[in-house]
Amino acid sequence: MSFSPNLIALGQYLAGKFDNREQALADSAWFVHLHLWQRPVDLFTEDSITLFAEQANIVKLDHPYRQRIMRLMSGSSSDAPLQLQYYMFKDPSAFSGAGDNPALLKALTVDQLDLLPGCILTVTQQTLAANSYKFTATQPPNTRCCFTYLNQTVQVSLGFEATAAEFNSYDKGIDSDTGKATWGAILGPYRYTKREQY
């Protein structure tokens, strides 16, 4: 299937190795220094561009976490021309470290994933200049992104902004009782700079 130029651009902007070194140095009390890998994978190729995402603290690069799959697709309306669906791994440990070691992803199949029904983002696009865009991804109103991890239900608020050189993550953990953020982008986004294009 041929993909729209917008979808291809979104996939190119999201694919890469990132870190937030400058932010962590400037405000180390609130932002730890993270590496983020977002690698293309051969899943859902009939209608989607799919990425494996993983991150790690700079002081524990051998203990990456938050493995997830991001499926980029055309949206259902002109208001939201693109959308992103998240999946989680049935066994995240089987793919731990695949951000830095992509050979681990060669055996990945759809059967090893669980769809996260409420974890979907609508993506809008703003033209900055010729062939230069800013993508903004937000959760639709009245949706909740929840999943089970270590026998606990976890709720998260998801969102990002992406340009060719930067990726700003608004992901936060949410206390489902109070609705307050407990981890992540509490004081603003994690501001990543792309260091390598995949």
Side-chain angles (χ1 to χ4, degrees), residues 33-55:
H33 186 177
L34 299 176
H35 279 208
L36 171 67
W37 296 268
Q38 296 184 153
R39 289 192 175 273
V41 291
D42 288 329
L43 295 178
F44 309 111
T45 53
E46 67 281 357
D47 65 355
S48 311
I49 295 171
T50 306
L51 301 169
F52 166 84
E54 181 175 62
Q55 63 196 53

PDB file of all heavy atoms in Angstrom, residues 33-55:
ATOM      1  N   HIS A  33      18.353  12.406  32.709  1.00  0.00           N
ATOM      2  CA  HIS A  33      18.929  12.311  31.367  1.00  0.00           C
ATOM      3  C   HIS A  33      18.560  10.956  30.789  1.00  0.00           C
ATOM      4  O   HIS A  33      18.987   9.913  31.279  1.00  0.00           O
ATOM      5  CB  HIS A  33      20.445  12.486  31.457  1.00  0.00           C
ATOM      6  CG  HIS A  33      21.128  12.556  30.133  1.00  0.00           C
ATOM      7  ND1 HIS A  33      22.476  12.773  30.008  1.00  0.00           N
ATOM      8  CD2 HIS A  33      20.663  12.414  28.864  1.00  0.00           C
ATOM      9  CE1 HIS A  33      22.812  12.784  28.729  1.00  0.00           C
ATOM     10  NE2 HIS A  33      21.722  12.555  28.017  1.00  0.00           N
ATOM     11  N   LEU A  34      17.746  10.966  29.736  1.00  0.00           N
ATOM     12  CA  LEU A  34      17.225   9.740  29.131  1.00  0.00           C
ATOM     13  C   LEU A  34      17.689   9.578  27.691  1.00  0.00           C
ATOM     14  O   LEU A  34      17.875  10.566  26.981  1.00  0.00           O
ATOM     15  CB  LEU A  34      15.685   9.764  29.142  1.00  0.00           C
ATOM     16  CG  LEU A  34      14.996   9.840  30.503  1.00  0.00           C
ATOM     17  CD1 LEU A  34      13.489   9.954  30.311  1.00  0.00           C
ATOM     18  CD2 LEU A  34      15.336   8.622  31.352  1.00  0.00           C
ATOM     19  N   HIS A  35      17.843   8.334  27.292  1.00  0.00           N
ATOM     20  CA  HIS A  35      17.976   7.973  25.890  1.00  0.00           C
ATOM     21  C   HIS A  35      16.640   7.385  25.452  1.00  0.00           C
ATOM     22  O   HIS A  35      16.003   6.646  26.205  1.00  0.00           O
ATOM     23  CB  HIS A  35      19.079   6.935  25.678  1.00  0.00           C
ATOM     24  CG  HIS A  35      20.444   7.520  25.629  1.00  0.00           C
ATOM     25  ND1 HIS A  35      21.481   6.946  24.931  1.00  0.00           N
ATOM     26  CD2 HIS A  35      20.969   8.641  26.188  1.00  0.00           C
ATOM     27  CE1 HIS A  35      22.568   7.675  25.058  1.00  0.00           C
ATOM     28  NE2 HIS A  35      22.287   8.707  25.823  1.00  0.00           N
ATOM     29  N   LEU A  36      16.224   7.695  24.237  1.00  0.00           N
ATOM     30  CA  LEU A  36      14.982   7.186  23.673  1.00  0.00           C
ATOM     31  C   LEU A  36      15.278   6.642  22.284  1.00  0.00           C
ATOM     32  O   LEU A  36      15.856   7.336  21.449  1.00  0.00           O
ATOM     33  CB  LEU A  36      13.945   8.314  23.587  1.00  0.00           C
ATOM     34  CG  LEU A  36      12.652   8.017  22.826  1.00  0.00           C
ATOM     35  CD1 LEU A  36      11.821   6.969  23.554  1.00  0.00           C
ATOM     36  CD2 LEU A  36      11.847   9.300  22.621  1.00  0.00           C
ATOM     37  N   TRP A  37      14.904   5.376  22.078  1.00  0.00           N
ATOM     38  CA  TRP A  37      15.044   4.746  20.761  1.00  0.00           C
ATOM     39  C   TRP A  37      13.650   4.533  20.175  1.00  0.00           C
ATOM     40  O   TRP A  37      12.749   4.048  20.859  1.00  0.00           O
ATOM     41  CB  TRP A  37      15.724   3.388  20.872  1.00  0.00           C
ATOM     42  CG  TRP A  37      17.135   3.420  21.367  1.00  0.00           C
ATOM     43  CD1 TRP A  37      18.279   3.486  20.615  1.00  0.00           C
ATOM     44  CD2 TRP A  37      17.580   3.342  22.729  1.00  0.00           C
ATOM     45  NE1 TRP A  37      19.392   3.463  21.422  1.00  0.00           N
ATOM     46  CE2 TRP A  37      18.992   3.379  22.733  1.00  0.00           C
ATOM     47  CE3 TRP A  37      16.916   3.256  23.959  1.00  0.00           C
ATOM     48  CZ2 TRP A  37      19.751   3.314  23.889  1.00  0.00           C
ATOM     49  CZ3 TRP A  37      17.662   3.204  25.124  1.00  0.00           C
ATOM     50  CH2 TRP A  37      19.066   3.231  25.082  1.00  0.00           C
ATOM     51  N   GLN A  38      13.462   4.874  18.912  1.00  0.00           N
ATOM     52  CA  GLN A  38      12.212   4.609  18.210  1.00  0.00           C
ATOM     53  C   GLN A  38      12.586   4.015  16.851  1.00  0.00           C
ATOM     54  O   GLN A  38      12.972   4.736  15.935  1.00  0.00           O
ATOM     55  CB  GLN A  38      11.361   5.881  18.095  1.00  0.00           C
ATOM     56  CG  GLN A  38      10.937   6.375  19.480  1.00  0.00           C
ATOM     57  CD  GLN A  38      10.006   7.566  19.496  1.00  0.00           C
ATOM     58  OE1 GLN A  38       9.243   7.728  20.431  1.00  0.00           O
ATOM     59  NE2 GLN A  38      10.049   8.424  18.495  1.00  0.00           N
ATOM     60  N   ARG A  39      12.488   2.686  16.764  1.00  0.00           N
ATOM     61  CA  ARG A  39      12.982   1.952  15.599  1.00  0.00           C
ATOM     62  C   ARG A  39      11.838   1.400  14.757  1.00  0.00           C
ATOM     63  O   ARG A  39      10.922   0.768  15.281  1.00  0.00           O
ATOM     64  CB  ARG A  39      13.856   0.773  16.047  1.00  0.00           C
ATOM     65  CG  ARG A  39      15.194   1.195  16.605  1.00  0.00           C
ATOM     66  CD  ARG A  39      16.108  -0.022  16.759  1.00  0.00           C
ATOM     67  NE  ARG A  39      17.441   0.379  17.185  1.00  0.00           N
ATOM     68  CZ  ARG A  39      18.416   0.741  16.362  1.00  0.00           C
ATOM     69  NH1 ARG A  39      18.207   0.781  15.063  1.00  0.00           N
ATOM     70  NH2 ARG A  39      19.599   1.081  16.839  1.00  0.00           N
ATOM     71  N   PRO A  40      11.897   1.576  13.427  1.00  0.00           N
ATOM     72  CA  PRO A  40      10.896   0.959  12.554  1.00  0.00           C
ATOM     73  C   PRO A  40      10.940  -0.566  12.664  1.00  0.00           C
ATOM     74  O   PRO A  40      12.015  -1.155  12.786  1.00  0.00           O
ATOM     75  CB  PRO A  40      11.316   1.410  11.154  1.00  0.00           C
ATOM     76  CG  PRO A  40      12.161   2.628  11.381  1.00  0.00           C
ATOM     77  CD  PRO A  40      12.855   2.410  12.690  1.00  0.00           C
ATOM     78  N   VAL A  41       9.750  -1.181  12.635  1.00  0.00           N
ATOM     79  CA  VAL A  41       9.639  -2.639  12.637  1.00  0.00           C
ATOM     80  C   VAL A  41       8.645  -3.056  11.548  1.00  0.00           C
ATOM     81  O   VAL A  41       7.767  -2.289  11.167  1.00  0.00           O
ATOM     82  CB  VAL A  41       9.197  -3.199  14.010  1.00  0.00           C
ATOM     83  CG1 VAL A  41      10.285  -3.025  15.051  1.00  0.00           C
ATOM     84  CG2 VAL A  41       7.899  -2.553  14.483  1.00  0.00           C
ATOM     85  N   ASP A  42       8.789  -4.289  11.082  1.00  0.00           N
ATOM     86  CA  ASP A  42       7.948  -4.804   9.997  1.00  0.00           C
ATOM     87  C   ASP A  42       6.679  -5.451  10.544  1.00  0.00           C
ATOM     88  O   ASP A  42       6.517  -6.680  10.477  1.00  0.00           O
ATOM     89  CB  ASP A  42       8.736  -5.810   9.147  1.00  0.00           C
ATOM     90  CG  ASP A  42       9.795  -5.136   8.295  1.00  0.00           C
ATOM     91  OD1 ASP A  42       9.575  -3.980   7.891  1.00  0.00           O
ATOM     92  OD2 ASP A  42      10.836  -5.757   8.049  1.00  0.00           O
ATOM     93  N   LEU A  43       5.795  -4.631  11.095  1.00  0.00           N
ATOM     94  CA  LEU A  43       4.491  -5.096  11.569  1.00  0.00           C
ATOM     95  C   LEU A  43       3.411  -4.202  10.972  1.00  0.00           C
ATOM     96  O   LEU A  43       3.644  -3.008  10.758  1.00  0.00           O
ATOM     97  CB  LEU A  43       4.397  -5.032  13.096  1.00  0.00           C
ATOM     98  CG  LEU A  43       5.324  -5.933  13.908  1.00  0.00           C
ATOM     99  CD1 LEU A  43       5.113  -5.692  15.404  1.00  0.00           C
ATOM    100  CD2 LEU A  43       5.100  -7.406  13.593  1.00  0.00           C
ATOM    101  N   PHE A  44       2.233  -4.765  10.723  1.00  0.00           N
ATOM    102  CA  PHE A  44       1.081  -4.006  10.217  1.00  0.00           C
ATOM    103  C   PHE A  44       1.443  -3.242   8.933  1.00  0.00           C
ATOM    104  O   PHE A  44       0.944  -2.146   8.692  1.00  0.00           O
ATOM    105  CB  PHE A  44       0.547  -3.032  11.267  1.00  0.00           C
ATOM    106  CG  PHE A  44       0.276  -3.649  12.607  1.00  0.00           C
ATOM    107  CD1 PHE A  44       1.053  -3.334  13.716  1.00  0.00           C
ATOM    108  CD2 PHE A  44      -0.777  -4.536  12.777  1.00  0.00           C
ATOM    109  CE1 PHE A  44       0.793  -3.890  14.957  1.00  0.00           C
ATOM    110  CE2 PHE A  44      -1.043  -5.102  14.013  1.00  0.00           C
ATOM    111  CZ  PHE A  44      -0.256  -4.783  15.119  1.00  0.00           C
ATOM    112  N   THR A  45       2.297  -3.822   8.120  1.00  0.00           N
ATOM    113  CA  THR A  45       2.817  -3.105   6.960  1.00  0.00           C
ATOM    114  C   THR A  45       1.758  -2.856   5.888  1.00  0.00           C
ATOM    115  O   THR A  45       1.971  -2.031   5.003  1.00  0.00           O
ATOM    116  CB  THR A  45       3.998  -3.877   6.341  1.00  0.00           C
ATOM    117  OG1 THR A  45       3.576  -5.221   6.081  1.00  0.00           O
ATOM    118  CG2 THR A  45       5.191  -3.899   7.283  1.00  0.00           C
ATOM    119  N   GLU A  46       0.609  -3.545   5.985  1.00  0.00           N
ATOM    120  CA  GLU A  46      -0.410  -3.364   4.955  1.00  0.00           C
ATOM    121  C   GLU A  46      -1.020  -1.964   4.994  1.00  0.00           C
ATOM    122  O   GLU A  46      -1.460  -1.451   3.969  1.00  0.00           O
ATOM    123  CB  GLU A  46      -1.518  -4.434   5.089  1.00  0.00           C
ATOM    124  CG  GLU A  46      -2.376  -4.337   6.337  1.00  0.00           C
ATOM    125  CD  GLU A  46      -1.735  -4.887   7.605  1.00  0.00           C
ATOM    126  OE1 GLU A  46      -0.602  -5.426   7.538  1.00  0.00           O
ATOM    127  OE2 GLU A  46      -2.366  -4.778   8.667  1.00  0.00           O
ATOM    128  N   ASP A  47      -1.048  -1.320   6.167  1.00  0.00           N
ATOM    129  CA  ASP A  47      -1.693  -0.005   6.235  1.00  0.00           C
ATOM    130  C   ASP A  47      -1.021   0.956   7.214  1.00  0.00           C
ATOM    131  O   ASP A  47      -1.576   2.014   7.507  1.00  0.00           O
ATOM    132  CB  ASP A  47      -3.175  -0.164   6.625  1.00  0.00           C
ATOM    133  CG  ASP A  47      -3.364  -0.726   8.028  1.00  0.00           C
ATOM    134  OD1 ASP A  47      -2.356  -1.088   8.692  1.00  0.00           O
ATOM    135  OD2 ASP A  47      -4.519  -0.818   8.468  1.00  0.00           O
ATOM    136  N   SER A  48       0.144   0.601   7.721  1.00  0.00           N
ATOM    137  CA  SER A  48       0.730   1.374   8.818  1.00  0.00           C
ATOM    138  C   SER A  48       2.245   1.456   8.716  1.00  0.00           C
ATOM    139  O   SER A  48       2.882   0.623   8.075  1.00  0.00           O
ATOM    140  CB  SER A  48       0.388   0.721  10.174  1.00  0.00           C
ATOM    141  OG  SER A  48      -0.978   0.427  10.282  1.00  0.00           O
ATOM    142  N   ILE A  49       2.777   2.456   9.404  1.00  0.00           N
ATOM    143  CA  ILE A  49       4.206   2.528   9.711  1.00  0.00           C
ATOM    144  C   ILE A  49       4.308   2.263  11.201  1.00  0.00           C
ATOM    145  O   ILE A  49       3.617   2.909  12.003  1.00  0.00           O
ATOM    146  CB  ILE A  49       4.781   3.908   9.348  1.00  0.00           C
ATOM    147  CG1 ILE A  49       4.706   4.129   7.834  1.00  0.00           C
ATOM    148  CG2 ILE A  49       6.220   4.039   9.848  1.00  0.00           C
ATOM    149  CD1 ILE A  49       5.057   5.546   7.404  1.00  0.00           C
ATOM    150  N   THR A  50       5.138   1.298  11.589  1.00  0.00           N
ATOM    151  CA  THR A  50       5.158   0.848  12.981  1.00  0.00           C
ATOM    152  C   THR A  50       6.556   1.007  13.559  1.00  0.00           C
ATOM    153  O   THR A  50       7.555   0.699  12.905  1.00  0.00           O
ATOM    154  CB  THR A  50       4.691  -0.618  13.060  1.00  0.00           C
ATOM    155  OG1 THR A  50       3.415  -0.734  12.414  1.00  0.00           O
ATOM    156  CG2 THR A  50       4.553  -1.073  14.502  1.00  0.00           C
ATOM    157  N   LEU A  51       6.603   1.475  14.807  1.00  0.00           N
ATOM    158  CA  LEU A  51       7.865   1.721  15.489  1.00  0.00           C
ATOM    159  C   LEU A  51       7.904   1.006  16.836  1.00  0.00           C
ATOM    160  O   LEU A  51       6.886   0.943  17.545  1.00  0.00           O
ATOM    161  CB  LEU A  51       8.066   3.223  15.746  1.00  0.00           C
ATOM    162  CG  LEU A  51       8.075   4.140  14.530  1.00  0.00           C
ATOM    163  CD1 LEU A  51       8.003   5.591  14.966  1.00  0.00           C
ATOM    164  CD2 LEU A  51       9.310   3.907  13.690  1.00  0.00           C
ATOM    165  N   PHE A  52       9.061   0.485  17.184  1.00  0.00           N
ATOM    166  CA  PHE A  52       9.345  -0.010  18.535  1.00  0.00           C
ATOM    167  C   PHE A  52       9.967   1.142  19.312  1.00  0.00           C
ATOM    168  O   PHE A  52      10.897   1.786  18.829  1.00  0.00           O
ATOM    169  CB  PHE A  52      10.333  -1.178  18.476  1.00  0.00           C
ATOM    170  CG  PHE A  52      10.945  -1.539  19.805  1.00  0.00           C
ATOM    171  CD1 PHE A  52      10.281  -2.371  20.696  1.00  0.00           C
ATOM    172  CD2 PHE A  52      12.189  -1.049  20.169  1.00  0.00           C
ATOM    173  CE1 PHE A  52      10.840  -2.708  21.916  1.00  0.00           C
ATOM    174  CE2 PHE A  52      12.765  -1.380  21.393  1.00  0.00           C
ATOM    175  CZ  PHE A  52      12.086  -2.218  22.270  1.00  0.00           C
ATOM    176  N   ALA A  53       9.453   1.415  20.512  1.00  0.00           N
ATOM    177  CA  ALA A  53       9.997   2.498  21.340  1.00  0.00           C
ATOM    178  C   ALA A  53      10.471   1.940  22.678  1.00  0.00           C
ATOM    179  O   ALA A  53       9.854   1.031  23.241  1.00  0.00           O
ATOM    180  CB  ALA A  53       8.939   3.576  21.569  1.00  0.00           C
ATOM    181  N   GLU A  54      11.575   2.496  23.153  1.00  0.00           N
ATOM    182  CA  GLU A  54      12.162   2.082  24.433  1.00  0.00           C
ATOM    183  C   GLU A  54      13.003   3.235  24.949  1.00  0.00           C
ATOM    184  O   GLU A  54      13.541   4.018  24.174  1.00  0.00           O
ATOM    185  CB  GLU A  54      13.034   0.839  24.207  1.00  0.00           C
ATOM    186  CG  GLU A  54      13.694   0.283  25.440  1.00  0.00           C
ATOM    187  CD  GLU A  54      14.436  -1.010  25.150  1.00  0.00           C
ATOM    188  OE1 GLU A  54      15.391  -0.975  24.338  1.00  0.00           O
ATOM    189  OE2 GLU A  54      14.071  -2.052  25.713  1.00  0.00           O
ATOM    190  N   GLN A  55      13.113   3.341  26.254  1.00  0.00           N
ATOM    191  CA  GLN A  55      13.955   4.395  26.814  1.00  0.00           C
ATOM    192  C   GLN A  55      14.775   3.859  27.966  1.00  0.00           C
ATOM    193  O   GLN A  55      14.502   2.779  28.505  1.00  0.00           O
ATOM    194  CB  GLN A  55      13.114   5.591  27.265  1.00  0.00           C
ATOM    195  CG  GLN A  55      12.136   5.317  28.362  1.00  0.00           C
ATOM    196  CD  GLN A  55      11.091   6.415  28.474  1.00  0.00           C
ATOM    197  OE1 GLN A  55      10.433   6.761  27.491  1.00  0.00           O
ATOM    198  NE2 GLN A  55      10.917   6.954  29.667  1.00  0.00           N
TER     199      GLN A  55
END
